């Protein structure tokens, strides 16, 4: 049996996936955000989800 690699423990594990289809312009925008912020694509997408969620909760 292969033992799973252990990383840092977290209170918010990211063990779920969701596939998203993006246009070329969406990819360009995401790449720009990655370059300018130094964050990962996943972090940028999570920030966008949080931003929309907070706007809807107002």
């Amino acid at each position: 049996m292969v033992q799973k690699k252990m990383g840092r423990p977290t209170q918010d594990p990211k063990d779920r996936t969701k596939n998203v289809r993006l246009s070329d312009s969406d990819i360009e925008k995401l790449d720009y955000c990655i370059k300018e912020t130094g964050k990962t694509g996943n972090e940028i997408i999570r920030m966008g989800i949080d931003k929309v969620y907070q706007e809807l909760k107002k």
Side-chain angles (χ1 to χ4, degrees):
M1 178 169 29
V2 176
Q3 187 173 359
K4 191 173 182 180
K5 183 179 175 183
M6 288 294 286
R8 284 186 273 169
T10 179
Q11 296 295 327
D12 189 18
K14 311 292 189 279
D15 58 351
R16 308 266 322 256
T17 61
K18 186 78 170 175
N19 293 330
V20 179
R21 294 176 60 158
L22 301 173
S23 67
D24 288 341
S25 65
D26 292 334
I27 294 293
E28 287 176 15
K29 291 173 188 175
L30 179 59
D31 289 343
Y32 176 80
C33 293
I34 292 167
K35 181 181 153 207
E36 291 297 311
T37 64
K39 296 183 182 292
T40 67
N42 288 331
E43 290 172 316
I44 300 294
I45 291 167
R46 285 188 203 106
M47 289 170 61
I49 292 169
D50 288 340
K51 183 174 182 176
V52 171
Y53 180 79
Q54 291 304 319
E55 289 176 5
L56 292 172
K57 293 291 283 183
K58 290 182 181 179

